[in-house]
Amino acid sequence: MDYSKCNFKIPKEEDDYQQCSEFVIKAISKIIKEAIDNKKNKIVINTNLKLGLPMENVNKVAGPFVEAWAHETFCEIVEDTKNEYHLVNVEAGERLNMADIILQFQKKRKNQSSITSNVDVKATAEDIESSGKSPNITSYARIRCAYLEDPDYMFIILSLKHKVYSKRDEQTKLMNGIMEVFSYNAYDLKNISSADISYNPALGTGQLQIRDIHYVKETKRTTWEFCQLLDKKYIASKNGFDPWFKLAKKFGWIKDG
């Protein structure tokens, strides 16, 4: 038996999925751009360190701060119930959730009136060349299951580039750390080109990674086309077809018989 002869369960997204994806990415990008343009892009970290933050290691703690900044930025928008982005709800992703932030937008659609977007925030440091360049995104099996359970599952990667510097507080004479978000990109995982997605088999069922998050090309595709792409990357790794077939039966990606 080989992959082409499997009796697959084939997910089918709504006809307007790509329009919804473009709508969400445009809204997220505009919200972040507005925050940067309005100088609301600084995270001040008060410390009692006279020499300031240890710059050589600050990238290790930057992720949670930048993620929290993004969450608060979206929360400020949703406080205005008539905001221009039609953002109606913001939630923090629960522990072990694939997404850091869950956004819900109001939009008239053929069969629905809203769009739910799962946002994974990735922070990269301007001052450290390799910082966050090739991040882990999520588990192969987990995202494969998510797209089968909900063919309209929308997983957005929000890349936020930041720089860090220290500034002395004139009153306390102590050094404050300043993280400043200055650049952004937003991508729909399903539309990232095959060449820009890599598969690392080292952990569990393997991790999807972005080869270089600063330079990503896009390819519009259906949910089923993306599932096949993920499967082929798994099979092409050292795992091969037989381990994939066991996973497919375990998680119900193929029909019995």
Side-chain angles (χ1 to χ4, degrees), residues 166-177:
S166 293
K167 186 176 182 180
R168 190 176 301 278
D169 187 301
E170 293 303 322
Q171 292 184 332
T172 66
K173 303 304 180 184
L174 297 174
M175 297 292 281
N176 290 329

Side-chain angles (χ1 to χ4, degrees), residues 41-45 62 65-70 177-181:
N41 57 333
K42 294 179 182 177
I43 305 163
V44 180
I45 305 169
F65 282 103
V66 172
E67 177 189 323
W69 172 84
I178 312 290
M179 288 184 182
E180 186 173 344
V181 177

Side-chain angles (χ1 to χ4, degrees), residues 13-126:
E13 72 276 17
E14 294 287 342
D15 293 339
D16 65 348
Y17 176 87
Q18 291 296 345
Q19 292 94 320
C20 291
S21 174
E22 291 171 8
F23 173 88
V24 167
I25 287 174
K26 184 177 179 180
I28 289 173
S29 299
K30 197 172 179 182
I31 288 169
I32 298 299
K33 182 180 186 302
E34 185 180 76
I36 294 172
D37 290 347
N38 292 334
K39 310 300 183 185
K40 295 181 179 180
N41 57 333
K42 294 179 182 177
I43 305 163
V44 180
I45 305 169
N46 300 114
T47 74
N48 62 349
L49 299 173
K50 293 181 180 179
L51 298 179
L53 295 175
M55 293 299 181
E56 68 277 10
N57 291 312
V58 74
N59 63 304
K60 295 178 181 178
V61 298
F65 282 103
V66 172
E67 177 189 323
W69 172 84
H71 184 243
E72 288 193 7
T73 298
F74 291 123
C75 284
E76 284 187 17
I77 296 296
V78 83
E79 286 174 3
D80 176 5
T81 57
K82 296 182 180 180
N83 68 80
E84 64 178 289
Y85 310 102
H86 304 285
L87 182 62
V88 294
N89 191 43
V90 179
E91 296 178 17
E94 297 178 358
R95 187 174 178 271
L96 300 180
N97 193 308
M98 285 190 291
D100 299 312
I101 307 168
I102 300 168
L103 304 177
Q104 190 170 41
F105 296 86
Q106 193 169 43
K107 189 178 189 299
K108 289 183 179 180
R109 306 176 60 186
K110 182 178 179 181
N111 299 317
Q112 302 177 48
S113 59
S114 66
I115 309 168
T116 298
S117 174
N118 300 272
V119 181
D120 185 17
V121 181
K122 297 299 182 188
T124 60
E126 163 74 1

Side-chain angles (χ1 to χ4, degrees), residues 135-146:
N136 286 332
I137 301 302
T138 187
S139 156
Y140 157 68
R142 198 173 183 191
I143 194 71
R144 177 66 163 83
C145 288

